[in-house]
Amino acid sequence: MYPRSSHIGSLTQKNLISNRSIRAFRGCSRASIGNPQVQARSSTSSTTTKMNTILAADIGGTNARFTIWNRDAAGDDKLIFTRSYKTEDYSTFELCYEQFMVDSELRQLDSVCLAVAGVVQSNRSNLTNLGWIVDGDKMKSLYHIPMVCVINDFEAVGYGIFELAKDDILTLHSPEKDASGPIAILGPGTGLGEAFLIWDVSTSRYIVHATEGSHADFAARGQIQHELCLWVEEEFKECEVEQVCSGPGIVRIYKFLQHKFNVGLPDRTPAQISAEAVSGKCTFCEQAVAIFLDILGAEAANLGMKCLATGGVYIAGGIPAKMRGILQESGLVASFLRPGAKFHEIRKSFPLHVVLDPDVGLLGSKVVAFNALI
């Protein structure tokens, strides 16, 4: 299980990397790059046995989270350094990465996996909301790293679910699982991520396939969701499922209710709306979250139907985990199963789980980084 770190934190402008440190970091020799004796300050290993050191990262729209792991010859892993940075503090990915490497005092990496919240093509992703380009091949050349892999963040989540402990998963529906059946994964956060996993008979393992399914059209159910869909279309000329099934989607539903019932409500963030709904202090927050969870349950079933997810449907993302206390009593499971629907019995065959560990993407990045060394 991925150990929690006590020193994850964001850096302010006063902590930004100096030009001298950048030059020193980029100018380190190939000899030092390949020297396994050069380790992070928190490593206490004094053995001469070959130890692989990897970097796993999760690059989102708000935060860039980095972790460094060592794996010894016996296959035991040790987390040696981790830190999170506000992406808005850095104009480029490289500056953020260099800050982390200077902070960790590390000069040797055997493999890197960067999970990014964007489309990945040819080991490269253009994070347009940040103005960042994350280029794995460029990183290999610039920093002399043998293996650098850039993957979609929900591809990382797909690999990460196999690293979770039992208490990191909340099961909402538990029919008998197909041990090699397809698996569907989705997760609302700043956006909505979606992926599916297919068992590869030739390698006896799952292969994760990232998608952009969250940008498909929203399939509204019932009158109020149809009204919501039309209201969103007035602003965007379309209504993607992500626009009503994400953090911003919760706010959008909340504002829609304000418009529909012509009431004055204070502006609230997704976290505030969720907290007010869980506490029962705000009726409109409760209604907004109820609609959100109905939509989430329906979209989970839609994704499950598209890949026949007899291996399970996993809902990740930070938002559902924070609503743990109301999930069982909400309409999420009923929307997922949809009793009376033509294919209700097929839906019933899909196990439904909620991932509670917010670091599941980092776990998946770690898996990919170490696997690249095999």
Side-chain angles (χ1 to χ4, degrees):
M1 177 54 202
Y2 176 75
R4 301 293 194 274
S5 170
S6 61
H7 58 279
I8 294 178
S10 300
L11 298 185
T12 59
Q13 287 289 345
K14 67 181 180 181
N15 302 114
L16 293 181
I17 191 169
S18 69
N19 289 333
R20 180 178 297 176
S21 295
I22 291 175
R23 289 194 295 271
F25 178 75
R26 287 185 174 174
C28 61
S29 69
R30 288 181 180 269
S32 68
I33 288 290
N35 183 357
Q37 298 302 315
V38 183
Q39 299 292 341
R41 59 170 175 259
S42 53
S43 174
T44 58
S45 173
S46 60
T47 67
T48 57
T49 303
K50 170 62 178 175
M51 182 176 292
N52 289 317
T53 303
I54 67 97
L55 168 65
D58 188 357
I59 314 297
T62 304
N63 298 303
R65 299 184 296 157
F66 298 88
T67 58
I68 294 176
W69 292 80
N70 278 347
R71 176 173 290 174
D72 61 24
D76 295 325
D77 299 341
K78 179 181 178 182
L79 176 66
I80 63 170
F81 196 80
T82 181
R83 189 158 293 178
S84 179
Y85 302 87
K86 293 292 185 184
T87 54
E88 65 183 11
D89 290 341
Y90 303 91
S91 59
T92 67
F93 164 73
E94 287 79 14
L95 287 176
C96 186
Y97 168 76
E98 288 166 3
Q99 178 68 66
F100 173 74
M101 294 303 286
V102 169
D103 291 341
S104 70
E105 297 183 357
L106 189 72
R107 292 295 180 271
Q108 178 264 328
L109 286 171
D110 298 300
S111 179
V112 170
C113 179
L114 308 170
V116 299
V119 178
V120 178
Q121 294 180 322
S122 301
N123 208 29
R124 185 179 186 271
S125 183
N126 185 357
L127 304 181
T128 54
N129 290 339
L130 294 177
W132 285 14
I133 294 176
V134 180
D135 189 326
D137 294 341
K138 176 182 176 182
M139 191 173 178
K140 284 176 63 176
S141 174
L142 186 60
Y143 305 115
H144 313 298
I145 305 169
M147 302 293 296
V148 179
C149 183
V150 181
I151 64 174
N152 176 267
D153 56 346
F154 256 73
E155 184 177 352
V157 171
Y159 290 114
I161 62 171
F162 301 107
E163 305 297 306
L164 296 172
K166 288 184 178 180
D167 59 0
D168 287 321
I169 298 174
L170 172 66
T171 298
L172 300 179
H173 177 62
S174 56
E176 185 176 353
K177 176 184 176 180
D178 182 347
S180 59
I183 296 172
I185 302 175
L186 70 164
T190 304
L192 176 67
E194 296 191 357
F196 61 91
L197 291 74
I198 302 296
W199 183 257
D200 184 355
V201 178
S202 64
T203 60
S204 296
R205 65 186 181 93
Y206 278 99
I207 303 297
V208 183
H209 301 272
T211 80
E212 291 299 322
S214 63
H215 299 296
D217 292 338
F218 167 47
R221 294 183 186 176
Q223 181 176 338
I224 196 163
Q225 289 190 20
H226 278 88
E227 291 179 13
L228 170 64
C229 183
L230 291 171
W231 187 75
V232 173
E233 285 179 347
E234 288 180 4
E235 179 178 358
F236 296 103
K237 310 304 180 186
E238 64 176 350
C239 184
E240 299 177 348
V241 64
E242 181 179 82
Q243 291 170 322
V244 291
C245 193
S246 60
I250 292 176
V251 175
R252 196 164 284 119
I253 296 168
Y254 175 77
K255 290 183 176 180
F256 160 73
L257 293 174
Q258 183 177 0
H259 167 79
K260 176 177 173 62
F261 295 104
N262 193 26
V263 294
L265 297 171
D267 289 338
R268 289 184 168 104
T269 65
Q272 290 171 334
I273 295 170
S274 300
E276 293 288 299
V278 171
S279 67
K281 294 180 179 178
C282 171
T283 300
F284 282 97
C285 292
E286 289 182 89
Q287 291 179 2
V289 167
I291 293 171
F292 164 78
L293 290 175
D294 284 347
I295 293 171
L296 178 58
E299 182 62 14
N302 290 342
L303 185 59
M305 290 291 286
K306 289 171 183 175
C307 66
L308 288 177
T310 54
V313 178
Y314 290 80
I315 299 176
I319 295 173
K322 293 175 182 176
M323 298 179 181
R324 178 178 183 174
I326 64 172
L327 292 180
Q328 296 279 12
E329 295 75 28
S330 73
L332 188 151
V333 176
S335 293
F336 178 79
L337 296 174
R338 202 172 193 184
K342 182 178 180 181
F343 287 95
H344 169 64
E345 292 301 317
I346 293 181
R347 294 167 184 264
K348 282 178 60 178
S349 70
F350 305 155
L352 179 62
H353 311 282
V354 176
V355 175
L356 303 177
D357 188 344
D359 292 327
V360 62
L362 281 171
L363 286 173
S365 296
K366 173 195 166 190
V367 169
V368 173
F370 275 123
N371 283 349
L373 298 173
I374 299 174

